[in-house]
Amino acid sequence: MHDLGAREKNQSHFPNLGLGLGLRAPHFNEVLTGTPRVSWFEVISENFMGIAGGTGGMPLEKLVRIREKFPIVMHGVSLNIGSSDPLDLNYLNQLKQLAHFIEPRWVSDHFCWTGVDGKNLHDLMPLPYTKETVNHLCERIQFCQEYLGRRLVFENVSSYIEFKHSEMPEWEFVSDIARRTGCGLLVDVNNIYVSSFNHGYDPLKYLRAIPIENVAQIHLAGHSTAGSILIDTHDHPVSPEVWQLYGEAIKIFGDVSTMIERDDHIPDYLTLENEILLAEAYLIKNRHPLTANHKDSLYERIAFT
Ligand SMILES: [Fe+2]
């Protein structure tokens, strides 16, 4: 199996969709009947899999209507790309069907493993950062990209343990895989902050090491404190420290499609929408001066009306 050619890697920059939100079931009706001020939505792929292509359950029917108005990005949690189990072709086939049906701007999952020996742990487990793991993931990502006929995007996960036999820092691990496979990077700024706190490294060092040309998207989320560590709980607003780190990310990457994910203690839609619109304040403050003349700013409309 061959790496994607340099031309193919370079020509397929991911578009900047602006500010988006993770679409959650409690907000379906609000998004359909209201006038959302964000410009795109991310959906969890598994919530719609197995029903694409005809049987059309209610959530899929609503998603199709939302898709008519907004770009959609598919975000998966079960590809299990890092496992030693064989890739699940049934899962890949369902993912392919859904992507064909929804036509998302891109499809993402995580640099992690979620199960082994056929058992699903329903969590995003960290990997040992070794050359062997890099090779393992590259081979599997290349297979998935060829199977799905599209460039995939992978997200850094938060972690609470490290493997003694890791041979490189996480940022080198994800960067090597992105360069070799041409996959996009979903940079979860909160995950970087959480992991950097838990493991005692400089989160800016992580951001500065990432190949900018592979960055497709940014995730923002809230976390919780549990004793001496931070937990990636997605049940709080984005913390001030993560907002600051997001500003640094914008200085490094420029404008990148950005969204907030909230999976517990989900507030009403407008509260969540106002939170993601704060991101534009950080964009305006931190983007390159040549692109700073951003008229008709969503943030300014909110702030001054
Ligand atoms: Fe995330």
Side-chain angles (χ1 to χ4, degrees):
M1 202 164 292
H2 302 288
D3 288 0
L4 289 176
R7 181 172 169 275
E8 200 170 352
K9 286 179 188 174
N10 293 333
Q11 72 179 3
S12 49
H13 289 300
F14 293 90
N16 176 18
L17 302 179
L19 301 172
L21 280 174
L23 187 63
R24 302 294 182 259
H27 300 150
F28 273 156
N29 289 337
E30 188 87 25
V31 171
L32 277 169
T33 59
T35 52
R37 294 173 294 176
V38 297
S39 52
W40 62 282
F41 291 96
E42 181 190 86
V43 298
I44 303 298
S45 306
E46 287 79 3
N47 288 350
F48 301 93
M49 285 169 66
I51 52 176
T55 55
M58 188 176 71
L60 184 59
E61 179 270 329
K62 289 190 175 179
L63 178 58
V64 167
R65 287 165 58 199
I66 293 169
R67 173 68 182 84
E68 289 168 1
K69 295 182 179 177
F70 298 96
I72 297 291
V73 168
M74 281 169 46
H75 184 52
V77 293
S78 305
L79 182 56
N80 202 13
I81 197 72
S83 177
S84 55
D85 278 0
L87 284 164
D88 184 343
L89 294 183
N90 180 48
Y91 175 88
L92 274 175
N93 187 44
Q94 288 190 51
L95 192 66
K96 189 173 186 174
Q97 284 186 50
L98 183 65
H100 181 73
F101 192 72
I102 296 298
E103 297 180 330
R105 291 304 181 94
W106 57 84
V107 176
S108 64
D109 206 287
H110 301 80
F111 288 116
C112 73
W113 61 283
T114 56
V116 70
D117 200 18
K119 296 182 180 65
N120 190 340
L121 300 174
H122 300 287
D123 210 339
L124 309 173
M125 312 297 287
L127 292 158
Y129 304 130
T130 66
K131 292 187 180 74
E132 183 183 11
T133 319
V134 168
N135 290 336
H136 180 61
L137 261 72
C138 283
E139 188 178 323
R140 287 160 70 95
I141 288 172
Q142 284 160 5
F143 177 87
C144 291
Q145 290 187 142
E146 289 184 13
Y147 186 93
L148 297 170
R150 60 169 63 238
R151 191 182 180 195
L152 292 172
V153 175
F154 285 88
E155 174 181 354
N156 59 293
V157 297
S158 55
S159 62
Y160 315 99
I161 60 162
E162 292 179 297
F163 291 88
K164 279 184 180 174
H165 53 293
S166 282
E167 300 164 346
M168 63 187 84
E170 184 183 337
W171 50 87
E172 193 176 316
F173 178 81
V174 303
S175 299
D176 279 0
I177 295 171
R179 289 191 179 101
R180 279 182 53 183
T181 65
C183 75
L185 293 172
L186 196 178
V187 180
D188 189 312
V189 175
N190 179 61
N191 287 352
I192 290 177
Y193 180 76
V194 165
S195 294
S196 71
F197 183 92
N198 292 341
H199 305 313
Y201 62 74
D202 178 1
L204 275 176
K205 198 169 180 180
Y206 196 129
L207 291 176
R208 288 175 181 145
I210 294 172
I212 296 171
E213 62 276 16
N214 291 72
V215 175
Q217 179 187 342
I218 287 176
H219 268 176
L220 297 168
H223 58 256
S224 303
T225 303
S228 60
I229 64 167
L230 301 182
I231 307 281
D232 178 34
T233 47
H234 293 194
D235 61 352
H236 283 71
V238 176
S239 73
E241 295 84 2
V242 171
W243 279 124
Q244 289 300 321
L245 193 57
Y246 174 61
E248 296 301 320
I250 293 303
K251 284 180 192 167
I252 296 168
F253 306 141
D255 285 16
V256 177
S257 306
T258 299
M259 57 148 285
I260 287 179
E261 27 177 21
R262 182 73 66 83
D263 295 296
D264 206 356
H265 299 149
I266 298 175
D268 63 78
Y269 177 76
L270 284 179
T271 300
L272 202 52
E273 187 179 72
N274 281 334
E275 191 184 3
I276 186 59
L277 293 178
L278 276 177
E280 194 165 33
Y282 286 87
L283 283 172
I284 291 168
K285 187 176 173 188
N286 294 289
R287 64 158 53 107
H288 191 280
L290 289 177
T291 61
N293 186 21
H294 185 66
K295 292 178 179 167
D296 197 27
S297 151
L298 287 168
Y299 174 75
E300 287 173 352
R301 271 192 270 151
I302 288 172
F304 303 112
T305 56

